[in-house]
Amino acid sequence: MTVAVNVSRFEGITMAPPDPILGVSEAFKADTDEKKLNLGVGAYRTEELQPYVLKVVEKAENLMLERGENKEYLPIEGLAAFNKATAELLFGADNPVIKQQRVATVQSLSGTGSLRLAAALIERYFPGAKVLISSPTWGNHKNIFDDARVPWSEYRYYDPKTVGLDFEGMIADIKDAPEGSFILLHGCAHNPTGIDPNPEQWEKIANVIQKKNHIPFFDVAYQGFASGSLDADAGSVRLFAARGMELLVAQSYSKNLGLYAERIGAINVVCSTADAATRVKSQLKQLARLMYSNPPVHGAKIVANIVSDPALFNDWKAEMEMMAGRIKNVRQKLNDSLSAKDKSGKDWSFILKQIGMFSFTGLSKTQSENMTNKWHVYMTKDGRISLAGLNLAKCEYLADAIVDSYHNVS
Amino acid sequence: MAAAVRAGVSGRILGRGSAVGARSMSSWWRSVEPAPKDPILGVTEAFLADPSPDKVNVGVGAYRDDNGKPVVLECVREAERRVAGNQNMEYLPMGGSVKMVEETLKLAYGEDSEFIKDKRIAAVQALSGTGACRLFADFQKRFSPDSQIYIPVPTWANHHNIWRDAHVPQRTYHYYHPESKGLDFAALMDDVKNAPNGSFFLLHACAHNPTGVDPSEDQWREISYQIKVKGHFPFFDMAYQGFASGDPERDAKAIRIFLEDGHAIGIAQSYAKNMGLYGQRVGCLSVLCEDEKQAIAVKSQLQQLARPMYSNPPVHGALVVSTILGDPELKSLWLKEVKVMADRIIGMRTALRENLEKFGSPLSWKHITEQIGMFCYSGMTPEQVDQLTKEYHIYLTRNGRISMAGVTTGNVGYLANAINEVTKSS
């Protein structure tokens, strides 16, 4: 016999809004038009617009299968071999911060999880301290700091007039922030704009951060994916570390190893002493325990296997160059198509200057909506397109859509 | 409260390109103290560090075979062979693997559950049991901000941490009765009656951790009735389905009773133990709602909470689960293997008790065979536990909880002797 359920205490719960980024893919799936193009979420696609599992990953998984390892809990801080490999990848194995054991590294749930752990650490040990995030930034940054109860404000970053970096605005806003703020920086391939500071600008940013006694907090989600070189893409982080600064770095292997769904990344905290690093690591573990006890093992083993085997590591570097190379080709073709089709003389070359998976087109919200409604091109409403979802064959169609939306929609 | 002391080098401008020696810079993190060792996971760390050949690990609740070795189930190996070379590592939806969640709900609510048919359950894949509890705690805070959670004494230590970090006020209810090493039923019922109407109650569906003491079916019915009268919200943590009796259906009995009685419940489920997928972090959080529309709304809010924590859950373990549960042969194999694990535990309980009685222990050890699941609440004091560790290299948590999964035919005699030695004078 089933008795009717009491009036639910969840009566007043309303539908949450669709996620602005992940919701795009869902809408794309529902569209039946054959011309549709998914330039929403930043997941790499091949030239045939298919998802891509890296060959090195397949090799690593087969090795793991053959070995038949057990599935015991990882320690709270994650797989030791992975933690070692990931810090070395980021800083370079010979970096003093590594040799002096000054980096606290904890495996986390990809970039999101790493950011969340760092946010929890900030909330606990720097109550009231603010995080400054770029305007614009990845949509989930705000949610993470909100849910972790860390106050945030924005620093100027994107200049719509030049479709480039508002460097003066950025420096001014960092200078104005209360001393001891955390400055969230994208290590390379800024999301969503694709606009990165050049090395000289990075030096100036480091100067003002040091002067104001702020703490740099890097989000590195595209190491290797931006330029094709792992070392080059870690340049900004290494520049700051070389100055002896303490800093935080959130890492992700979602894109550069295509391990999106395995949720593999790490939070790194570079401290001025090994003792501080030990203490910080112990507190990060405490925070992780409250969220999920210990991190998932599968992705960590894949990464550790690849990075520790010279042959696999080389294979990985080659595949990454290939992926970054495809993106660069697509940028070139898109730039050429836009120049050819847009008779107004507008300069579209910012597409070539930007780097990484994303391009900030400069399209407004209504223009972006036109892209979707009229042209079945799926993108986020901030004007961001994921070039990873574009191939050479579709560049002309996309150029038509962009030119139409930019000039004919206000 | 840890307030950061701003570094002493404030205002010092470091020249461009100069590398400041690490030692000359005061650290941001000076006020960060070393965290205390996790009481449960810390035990394994200490065990691993011990060089003694006699050492025994009856600390963390991870299943071991009779040789003391971790076990990967055959059904899991086969599932992994099938999913290897899976061409798709794309992000799962925020709510996780739909297939895995569907199969998981059947286990908890019943294969033919009308609630599943009517789509009244809001459910998302979660990071094992911990992640499911954490998501629910955050959900409770956000949507029932004035509510509090009642947690049994004792309970898995991390429960307190989870709800505290979610800023949900917590109270406790009586559960374990030290004198009888059983359930303090009368006090439990009093606490249920005295709690303000509409409180949230955390219940262990089966194989209570750490005591192994479960209410009988009749007791569950009375608890259900009283909770209904008071309008409380029952939240079940089910981490051991199948592991307690060997039969998943039987282990879900308490939940089924509550469903029959018309409660709207929440459940945290985990595959860490019953499928041996510990490190894969696979589980599920479900909330039974009034109707499909509400379930959709609640699910969207659960996803909203997960997004700023980890965006979407890991795929590998979910694939293994859905492969096994979606294939009748593999599922049947799994059920056999779960029973083997549960039976071995039950056998070790008997062996430990018999050995203790054989050593002539003056105390009663019948609670060892009366308790159920992976753990046995031995009744030993922290001092006795310390002695067990120092003198006999036997590792367990200081609350006297023995993980029966770590007991083997090879070490049960040694263990019984040691326990007898440290307790016989008490």
Side-chain angles (χ1 to χ4, degrees):
Chain A
M1 179 200 76
T2 310
V3 178
V5 174
N6 290 338
V7 173
S8 173
R9 62 191 69 227
F10 302 119
E11 205 36 56
I13 293 181
T14 52
M15 265 310 269
D19 183 279
I21 303 171
L22 301 177
V24 171
S25 285
E26 290 176 18
F28 169 82
K29 277 199 195 86
D31 187 331
T32 51
D33 190 295
E34 59 172 19
K35 297 190 298 299
K36 66 180 182 177
L37 196 53
N38 187 0
L39 304 183
V41 74
Y44 180 83
R45 294 280 178 279
T46 61
E47 194 60 26
E48 294 74 39
L49 297 186
Q50 292 304 309
Y52 181 61
V53 176
L54 276 70
K55 305 268 176 298
V56 274
V57 170
E58 285 176 11
K59 281 190 197 159
E61 285 206 299
N62 284 331
L63 272 171
M64 285 157 60
L65 205 61
E66 277 163 38
R67 264 189 240 124
E69 289 161 342
N70 69 48
K71 302 191 176 299
E72 297 295 285
Y73 290 123
L74 285 179
I76 305 175
E77 69 266 32
L79 185 69
F82 166 80
N83 287 345
K84 180 169 187 292
T86 203
E88 289 179 0
L89 202 63
L90 185 58
F91 296 102
D94 294 324
N95 196 305
V97 305
I98 302 265
K99 292 206 137 40
Q100 292 160 15
Q101 300 184 307
R102 292 194 281 120
V103 186
T105 301
V106 168
Q107 177 190 336
S108 345
L109 291 157
S110 204
T112 306
S114 308
L115 289 160
R116 181 57 181 263
L117 267 189
L121 187 73
I122 293 170
E123 195 269 342
R124 191 170 275 197
Y125 285 96
F126 299 88
K130 242 200 302 195
V131 173
L132 263 73
I133 60 182
S134 64
S135 171
T137 194
W138 179 49
N140 207 23
H141 278 144
K142 297 171 186 174
N143 299 333
I144 292 169
F145 295 116
D146 279 344
D147 270 28
R149 298 159 189 253
V150 173
W152 54 268
S153 67
E154 288 176 299
Y155 60 86
R156 279 168 284 173
Y157 193 82
Y158 172 63
D159 185 351
K161 287 193 247 54
T162 59
V163 196
L165 179 61
D166 179 359
F167 186 61
E168 299 307 319
M170 177 180 184
I171 294 292
D173 289 345
I174 292 177
K175 225 179 242 172
D176 278 344
E179 190 177 306
S181 296
F182 288 78
I183 313 296
L184 187 64
L185 304 159
H186 298 226
C188 63
H190 183 271
N191 177 0
T193 67
I195 298 162
D196 284 350
N198 60 39
E200 197 184 306
Q201 290 171 324
W202 275 123
E203 294 275 6
K204 294 200 171 110
I205 294 165
N207 284 345
V208 70
I209 285 179
Q210 276 184 306
K211 186 163 178 184
K212 290 289 306 210
N213 218 24
H214 294 323
I215 186 160
F217 181 0
F218 284 93
D219 186 353
V220 173
Y222 300 98
Q223 188 184 1
F225 217 103
S227 67
S229 157
L230 287 160
D231 287 321
D233 287 349
S236 59
V237 171
R238 294 181 188 182
L239 185 157
F240 279 63
R243 289 167 165 242
M245 296 171 82
E246 292 188 306
L247 48 111
L248 300 115
V249 188
Q251 274 173 294
S252 164
Y253 289 90
S254 289
K255 286 79 171 175
N256 61 11
L257 258 174
L259 293 176
Y260 310 93
E262 302 294 350
R263 317 312 294 129
I264 178 71
I267 178 65
N268 302 273
V269 183
V270 179
C271 308
S272 59
T273 64
D275 178 66
T278 305
R279 285 180 281 116
V280 167
K281 182 165 169 168
S282 76
Q283 294 294 349
L284 286 170
K285 282 165 66 167
Q286 195 89 310
L287 293 161
R289 178 58 157 157
L290 300 167
M291 273 191 237
Y292 48 82
S293 280
N294 37 65
V297 64
H298 195 74
K301 290 211 166 160
I302 294 174
V303 175
N305 274 304
I306 291 173
V307 176
S308 65
D309 177 317
L312 287 179
F313 193 34
N314 279 333
D315 285 348
W316 177 31
K317 287 192 220 174
E319 283 193 272
M320 201 145 46
E321 273 180 42
M322 180 274 293
M323 292 194 288
R326 193 182 91 66
I327 304 276
K328 285 186 201 155
N329 286 344
V330 154
R331 280 189 183 274
Q332 188 67 56
K333 182 88 197 272
L334 180 61
N335 172 72
D336 296 343
S337 304
L338 282 163
S339 305
K341 285 171 186 291
D342 188 352
K343 307 300 179 199
S344 77
K346 175 175 161 66
D347 182 8
W348 292 99
S349 67
F350 59 82
I351 296 220
L352 294 175
K353 296 195 196 101
Q354 292 163 356
I355 192 169
M357 211 182 271
F358 301 112
S359 172
F360 229 40
T361 55
L363 293 174
S364 69
K365 182 165 180 284
T366 41
Q367 292 167 341
S368 303
E369 281 164 356
N370 185 64
M371 293 285 286
T372 306
N373 297 336
K374 182 171 172 189
W375 295 89
H376 304 274
V377 172
Y378 287 80
M379 53 188 282
T380 47
K381 302 227 190 313
D382 52 5
R384 179 191 91 165
I385 54 173
S386 168
L387 294 161
L390 182 63
N391 61 9
L392 297 171
K394 299 227 174 190
C395 281
E396 297 214 3
Y397 178 75
L398 180 60
D400 283 335
I402 291 175
V403 170
D404 171 58
S405 305
Y406 183 78
H407 288 295
N408 300 332
V409 177
S410 53
Chain B
M1 189 192 75
V5 174
R6 297 296 178 243
V9 290
S10 68
R12 192 196 297 179
I13 299 164
L14 294 147
R16 176 177 152 167
S18 72
V20 177
R23 254 164 296 154
S24 68
M25 185 180 185
S26 207
S27 176
W28 283 97
W29 312 103
R30 268 198 326 230
S31 64
V32 174
E33 283 161 13
K37 280 216 174 301
D38 183 279
I40 303 171
L41 303 177
V43 169
T44 296
E45 282 178 24
F47 168 81
L48 289 169
D50 185 332
S52 164
D54 299 324
K55 64 181 180 177
V56 174
N57 186 0
V58 283
V60 77
Y63 182 79
R64 296 282 178 272
D65 64 15
D66 201 45
N67 296 312
K69 297 271 174 275
V71 170
V72 177
L73 302 185
E74 262 314 303
C75 62
V76 168
R77 287 263 183 251
E78 176 54 32
E80 288 212 299
R81 279 190 280 270
R82 293 187 198 180
V83 309
N86 164 49
Q87 277 307 304
N88 197 337
M89 284 195 186
E90 297 293 289
Y91 294 120
L92 283 179
M94 279 183 283
S97 159
V98 169
K99 187 138 191 296
M100 190 277 282
V101 168
E102 272 173 14
E103 293 294 337
T104 303
L105 293 182
K106 285 192 214 158
L107 281 179
Y109 293 82
E111 282 274 336
D112 300 313
S113 165
E114 64 189 280
F115 305 116
I116 297 179
K117 284 202 189 70
D118 295 343
K119 305 197 184 172
R120 284 174 46 189
I121 307 173
V124 294
Q125 179 185 339
L127 292 163
S128 207
T130 306
C133 286
R134 176 55 185 260
L135 261 193
F136 184 78
D138 282 351
F139 176 74
Q140 179 185 349
K141 179 63 185 177
R142 187 168 283 185
F143 294 102
S144 273
D146 301 326
S147 68
Q148 51 197 0
I149 183 92
Y150 277 77
I151 297 182
V153 179
T155 194
W156 179 51
N158 211 22
H159 280 144
H160 290 289
N161 299 335
I162 290 170
W163 266 271
R164 181 187 320 120
D165 219 56
H167 302 270
V168 173
Q170 47 184 270
R171 306 193 98 92
T172 56
Y173 64 90
H174 287 84
Y175 191 84
Y176 178 67
H177 192 238
E179 290 75 28
S180 64
K181 301 194 182 52
L183 183 65
D184 192 350
F185 186 60
L188 189 162
M189 292 299 283
D190 278 344
D191 286 343
V192 171
K193 283 182 196 135
N194 293 331
N197 289 0
S199 299
F200 284 61
F201 269 75
L202 173 67
L203 305 161
H204 296 225
C206 63
H208 181 271
N209 177 1
T211 68
V213 171
D214 284 351
S216 67
E217 198 176 309
D218 286 337
Q219 288 173 326
W220 274 123
R221 290 191 190 283
E222 285 196 51
I223 295 168
S224 168
Y225 176 79
Q226 195 56 238
I227 285 184
K228 193 93 191 284
V229 165
K230 295 288 298 187
H232 295 325
F233 182 91
F235 182 72
F236 285 95
D237 186 354
M238 183 157 69
Y240 298 97
Q241 187 181 13
F243 222 104
S245 69
D247 175 5
E249 278 299 292
R250 202 162 131 198
D251 289 346
K253 188 65 187 169
I255 288 176
R256 305 291 170 83
I257 287 171
F258 274 65
L259 291 172
E260 277 167 29
D261 288 351
H263 294 274
I265 65 175
I267 310 179
Q269 287 170 270
S270 164
Y271 287 101
K273 285 83 167 169
N274 62 11
M275 248 190 227
L277 295 178
Y278 308 93
Q280 303 290 347
R281 321 308 296 127
V282 204
C284 176
L285 168 66
S286 60
V287 178
L288 176 60
C289 303
E290 261 189 339
D291 53 35
E292 182 178 356
K293 181 155 172 271
Q294 193 180 88
I296 293 174
V298 168
K299 179 176 169 171
S300 76
Q301 295 293 351
L302 293 174
Q303 289 176 183
Q304 191 91 312
L305 287 160
R307 173 59 159 156
M309 251 195 258
Y310 48 83
S311 282
N312 35 63
V315 69
H316 190 76
L319 272 178
V320 170
V321 172
S322 59
T323 301
I324 291 172
L325 296 182
D327 176 314
E329 265 185 52
L330 279 183
K331 182 169 179 178
S332 173
L333 175 57
W334 172 56
L335 290 169
K336 275 202 200 79
E337 292 190 276
V338 162
K339 187 157 191 325
V340 163
M341 291 196 287
D343 284 347
R344 194 184 89 68
I345 303 268
I346 293 168
M348 285 299 102
R349 286 184 177 276
T350 306
L352 181 60
R353 176 181 168 180
E354 283 175 355
N355 269 272
L356 278 161
E357 287 164 357
K358 203 171 59 183
F359 278 114
S361 168
L363 307 172
S364 163
W365 296 101
K366 66 178 168 67
H367 55 281
I368 295 183
T369 47
E370 279 168 7
Q371 291 165 3
I372 191 168
M374 207 181 275
F375 302 112
C376 162
Y377 226 41
S378 61
M380 286 187 284
T381 65
E383 294 72 35
Q384 289 168 334
V385 169
D386 288 342
Q387 202 184 340
L388 265 189
T389 306
K390 263 205 266 302
E391 291 176 21
Y392 295 92
H393 307 277
I394 295 173
Y395 290 81
L396 63 158
T397 46
R398 291 187 88 233
N399 55 8
R401 181 192 86 166
I402 297 175
S403 171
M404 295 304 302
V407 181
T408 66
T409 48
N411 66 24
V412 66
Y414 178 77
L415 181 61
N417 176 58
I419 293 175
N420 183 42
E421 288 298 314
V422 310
T423 59
K424 61 188 181 187
S425 54
S426 63

